Amino acid sequence: MDNQTTPVTTGLRETKKQETRQLISDHATRLFIAQGFEQTTIAEIAAVARVAKKTVTNYFPHKEDLALDHQEQFAASLADVVAGRHPGESALAALRRAFLDAVAAQDPVAGFSGRQFARMIADSPTLSVCLRGLHDRREHHLARALAEATGAQPDDITVQTAAGLLGSVHRVLFQRIQALTLAGHPNDRIARVIATEATQ
């Protein structure tokens, strides 16, 4: 009997944890947008989410994690595309295809975060630095994936250069999406512009 109920209990516990994490993240984002990232404290977030301050830091060890809660997904995104590319598909073709798919889906990881969220990041020196670090991490992961795909050493200069160039293109396009978002353009128009510019 215990063996049958344990997975259910574990599943419910995990669901509850995910709900709590999302609740904290949602309240934090609203506060950051309303009063600024630097001006908002962990204690304020805990109070609004009706949890202990320790609960917030257990789920989000760093304050930046509350604002940018898809960091691992973002950092691994390009490497994952290269690792999961179609048989016979080049890394470049896979990255191009995946980016255009993300633009068509208006994926937040590609930069479609909404005007308020984009403004929150742009106005915060801390989050701007954090975002630059995420772009660097993404490029590093991409270099490792390219090395694995080509049988090269991770520190191979050709692999490092290719990752740097591909990472820079993605960084420029991400920043372009953010700039158009901040300028007030709707996502549908941004997607059309970016799809054309990405192809270019």
Side-chain angles (χ1 to χ4, degrees):
M1 190 73 169
D2 287 342
N3 289 340
Q4 291 176 341
T5 57
T6 300
V8 175
T9 305
T10 304
L12 289 172
R13 191 179 302 121
E14 281 305 311
T15 300
K16 180 64 177 171
K17 283 171 69 175
Q18 283 302 318
E19 288 173 352
T20 302
R21 189 182 196 281
Q22 191 61 53
L23 177 75
I24 294 168
S25 175
D26 290 347
H27 281 300
T29 300
R30 278 194 285 274
L31 284 172
F32 293 152
I33 287 171
Q35 39 187 68
F37 178 80
E38 271 78 13
Q39 291 73 27
T40 304
T41 66
I42 298 294
E44 285 177 303
I45 294 165
V48 173
R50 296 185 177 182
V51 296
K53 187 178 173 183
K54 180 72 174 170
T55 302
V56 175
T57 55
N58 281 342
Y59 282 100
F60 301 93
H62 306 101
K63 189 178 169 186
E64 300 91 306
D65 299 340
L66 284 155
L68 303 170
D69 59 348
H70 297 290
Q71 292 186 38
E72 294 311 314
Q73 184 185 351
F74 182 90
S77 58
L78 302 185
D80 287 347
V81 168
V82 171
R85 68 194 185 283
H86 299 154
E89 186 178 35
S90 71
L92 178 60
L95 288 167
R96 184 182 289 127
R97 171 183 51 78
F99 182 78
L100 290 174
D101 286 348
V103 169
Q106 299 174 12
D107 188 345
V109 174
F112 290 88
S113 58
R115 193 175 185 183
Q116 288 183 316
F117 195 87
R119 173 55 58 202
M120 175 190 77
I121 293 173
D123 287 347
S124 167
T126 304
L127 293 180
S128 296
V129 168
C130 184
L131 187 57
R132 283 197 293 275
L134 285 173
H135 281 290
D136 291 343
R137 279 174 56 197
R138 186 164 70 163
E139 187 179 308
H140 174 73
H141 288 312
L142 177 60
R144 282 171 39 194
L146 290 173
E148 193 168 318
T150 58
Q153 293 298 314
D155 62 350
D156 181 275
I157 191 65
T158 304
V159 165
Q160 295 288 330
T161 303
L165 290 169
L166 292 166
S168 292
V169 170
H170 280 82
R171 190 186 299 240
V172 167
L173 290 168
F174 181 95
Q175 290 167 344
R176 178 78 167 133
I177 293 169
Q178 294 283 287
L180 290 170
T181 300
L182 288 171
H185 297 290
N187 277 352
D188 287 346
R189 183 176 188 282
I190 295 171
R192 288 195 299 273
V193 170
I194 293 297
T196 302
E197 292 182 347
T199 303
Q200 180 184 328

